[in-house]
Amino acid sequence: MAQSELVSSQHVTASALPPRVPQLSQAREALTRGVRVRNEFGETQEAQIPAERPLTLYLDKQELVTLMTVGAAPELLALGYLRNQRLVHSIADIASVQVDWEVEACSITSRSGIADLTQRTAGRRVVTTGCGQGTVYASLMDEVDNAALDAETRISQGELYALLDAMRLHDSLYKSAGSVHGCALFEGSRLLMFTEDVGRHNAVDAISGWMWLRGVGGQGKVFYTTGRLTSEMVIKCALMGVSILVSRSGVTQMGYDIAERLGIALFARCTNRHFLQYTAPERFVAEPLERLSA
């Protein structure tokens, strides 16, 4: 199992599994490459850099997009892309996802064809502020207002701190090579899935694909990212049904506006015991720290 993908069957009940799931390849490549570098003392040493390779997605032989990715979980990335772009409505409609790194391609086969695929992919696309893929089909802007978000999902201050501690201690590609974003899915403070990629949009798509494949809903879940909470990140999480987002970085204005409208809680600038909650105070059970006197 790749270190950047944490998948534990004990976190998902058998009844949650969808009845029909696609066949997935298990295409894996090295996530890092060793290179020689020179430090500030004039000494040479070896350093690890993350892989970055193109992966072109084909759905029923129709080319969709080329994503730049580390390649830690390419099949889940492909599934999450289809789900988050709303190109396929149900996981049961997909027969197989086959990745071949020799030709840098992912062939996705549906069970009975996607009737309106050309129309869905022909519309105007919006280029976002994100790194990596960073694009969404414009129709998602309309669909997000109908996102199914659980009104009862909450997080306590203690659970937030436990989540941040878990991410601080978790082994990651970033610690050895840098230059990647990490995303994780939690249930309370319990880590369900973690993955990394060169773009946080790829990482969130991989988590979405993992949820879709296993029939895991967003109720009671918390999404963590090392990257900014932009409009696209908030939209994707909303479409996944996740109503609490936590970031080590910041929040953009459009991300804030969408979250405020939908009642999604945004926590950002989260390091150690510091955090800023921007939206949806009703989703937070505060346990304020005492400010130490000077």
Side-chain angles (χ1 to χ4, degrees):
M1 183 181 299
Q3 68 164 354
S4 58
E5 181 187 353
L6 175 66
V7 175
S8 176
S9 59
Q10 66 182 354
H11 296 316
V12 183
T13 62
S15 62
L17 296 177
R20 302 177 74 189
V21 295
Q23 293 183 341
L24 305 183
S25 61
Q26 296 294 323
R28 297 295 180 264
E29 290 286 301
L31 302 184
T32 63
R33 172 188 170 192
V35 296
R36 301 297 295 177
V37 298
R38 186 182 300 274
N39 64 22
E40 68 273 22
F41 301 106
E43 303 163 342
T44 59
Q45 63 187 68
E46 184 173 278
Q48 297 294 317
I49 57 174
E52 183 180 16
R53 48 179 66 93
L55 182 66
T56 302
L57 307 189
Y58 296 87
L59 176 55
D60 291 338
K61 299 183 179 180
Q62 178 174 328
E63 183 176 341
L64 298 180
V65 69
T66 297
L67 306 176
M68 299 304 298
T69 176
V70 169
E75 296 85 4
L76 296 182
L77 170 60
L79 286 175
Y81 179 86
L82 294 180
R83 182 192 187 193
N84 285 340
Q85 300 293 339
R86 292 306 196 255
L87 298 179
V88 178
H89 291 306
S90 171
I91 190 74
D93 293 334
I94 303 173
S96 67
V97 179
Q98 302 295 315
V99 173
D100 185 345
W101 283 121
E102 288 190 5
V103 294
E104 298 174 335
C106 174
S107 176
I108 306 158
T109 304
S110 68
R111 296 189 188 276
S112 56
I114 308 299
D116 55 348
L117 180 61
T118 301
Q119 290 80 1
R120 294 189 202 182
T121 57
R124 177 175 57 89
R125 303 188 74 184
V126 178
V127 180
T128 70
T129 57
C131 55
Q133 166 230 336
T135 57
V136 293
Y137 288 100
S139 60
L140 295 188
M141 300 295 185
D142 301 325
E143 190 170 344
V144 71
D145 283 321
N146 297 319
L149 296 171
D150 174 55
E152 303 303 319
T153 298
R154 303 283 189 276
I155 188 171
S156 70
Q157 192 160 336
E159 289 173 326
L160 177 61
Y161 286 155
L163 178 157
L164 296 176
D165 287 341
M167 292 311 306
R168 179 174 55 83
L169 298 173
H170 189 69
D171 187 30
S172 68
L173 178 61
Y174 180 83
K175 291 180 181 178
S176 62
S179 302
V180 295
H181 280 295
C183 291
L185 186 70
F186 283 81
E187 187 168 36
S189 59
R190 183 161 57 106
L191 178 60
L192 301 181
M193 199 276 189
F194 173 76
T195 191
E196 296 172 290
D197 213 315
V198 288
R200 63 186 181 278
H201 301 280
N202 287 350
V204 69
D205 281 350
I207 288 180
S208 179
W210 181 88
M211 294 172 68
W212 205 26
L213 185 65
R214 288 160 176 79
V216 177
Q219 180 178 0
K221 306 302 189 298
V222 180
F223 177 81
Y224 171 88
T225 179
T226 59
R228 301 185 307 279
L229 295 175
T230 63
S231 58
E232 184 176 7
M233 295 296 284
V234 175
I235 287 171
K236 286 185 175 183
C237 287
L239 295 176
M240 291 155 54
V242 178
S243 55
I244 299 177
L245 282 58
V246 178
S247 171
R248 192 176 67 189
S249 185
V251 176
T252 68
Q253 178 180 337
M254 186 173 288
Y256 175 91
D257 290 342
I258 294 172
E260 188 173 44
R261 186 172 80 240
L262 297 179
I264 292 176
L266 300 184
F267 295 85
R269 309 295 293 273
C270 298
T271 56
N272 297 320
R273 292 297 182 261
H274 173 71
F275 65 88
L276 297 175
Q277 183 183 11
Y278 288 77
T279 56
E282 68 278 5
R283 293 193 181 275
F284 186 51
V285 182
E287 301 162 353
L289 301 179
E290 291 188 11
R291 187 179 294 277
L292 299 177
S293 58

